[in-house]
Amino acid sequence: KQWYQRRVRGDMDCYTGNGVQYRGRVGRTTSDYDCQNWNRDYPVIHSYHSPEYNWAGVGEHTFCRNPSPESEDRPWCFKDTFWTWIDIWDFCDIQQCSRDSFDYFR
């Protein structure tokens, strides 16, 4: 496998590829909103609940994930606010990993 296809360690706050394997702890959007808990339908009603989406790392937490890799190219989350009825989700402020992020390439 190529370096960018390998699994990212859970303690890294960067993502590879489309971010589907990102398991970091960033829980804030690029528009500066906190993320909604993935198992909650409040304030945003959605269908990304575990265990159906366990493969994407969603669950009882508010960390950014990408449970829709067919349409999104990086980790995102639903905004935990009532004041954005149109833009209910946003990408997260997470950098894409570079080769230097992996000990193997240092």
Side-chain angles (χ1 to χ4, degrees):
K1 288 188 174 183
Q2 297 292 323
W3 69 271
Y4 54 83
Q5 293 175 321
R6 294 186 182 146
R7 286 199 98 151
V8 177
R9 291 185 353 230
D11 62 347
M12 293 181 70
D13 276 330
C14 65
Y15 69 93
T16 59
N18 60 12
V20 73
Q21 294 182 347
Y22 173 74
R23 297 297 182 268
R25 300 179 62 85
V26 172
R28 197 136 183 97
T29 69
T30 56
S31 55
D32 208 29
Y33 286 94
D34 289 329
C35 293
Q36 174 179 309
N37 186 306
W38 287 101
N39 282 351
R40 204 173 73 188
D41 276 325
Y42 182 80
V44 178
I45 298 172
H46 64 89
S47 61
Y48 295 104
H49 302 99
S50 58
E52 299 97 287
Y53 286 90
N54 279 344
W55 60 267
V58 301
E60 190 62 40
H61 61 78
T62 60
F63 305 130
C64 302
R65 298 291 183 256
N66 187 3
S68 55
E70 66 285 344
S71 61
E72 306 308 333
D73 63 353
R74 59 187 176 160
W76 60 275
C77 70
F78 292 105
K79 297 176 183 179
D80 194 16
T81 182
F82 292 103
W83 308 113
T84 59
W85 293 107
I86 296 172
D87 298 321
I88 60 172
W89 68 275
D90 194 6
F91 290 113
C92 295
D93 193 15
I94 306 168
Q95 297 298 312
Q96 192 163 22
C97 297
S98 69
R99 287 177 62 107
D100 295 334
S101 301
F102 300 92
D103 293 335
Y104 177 82
F105 292 105
R106 290 186 193 161

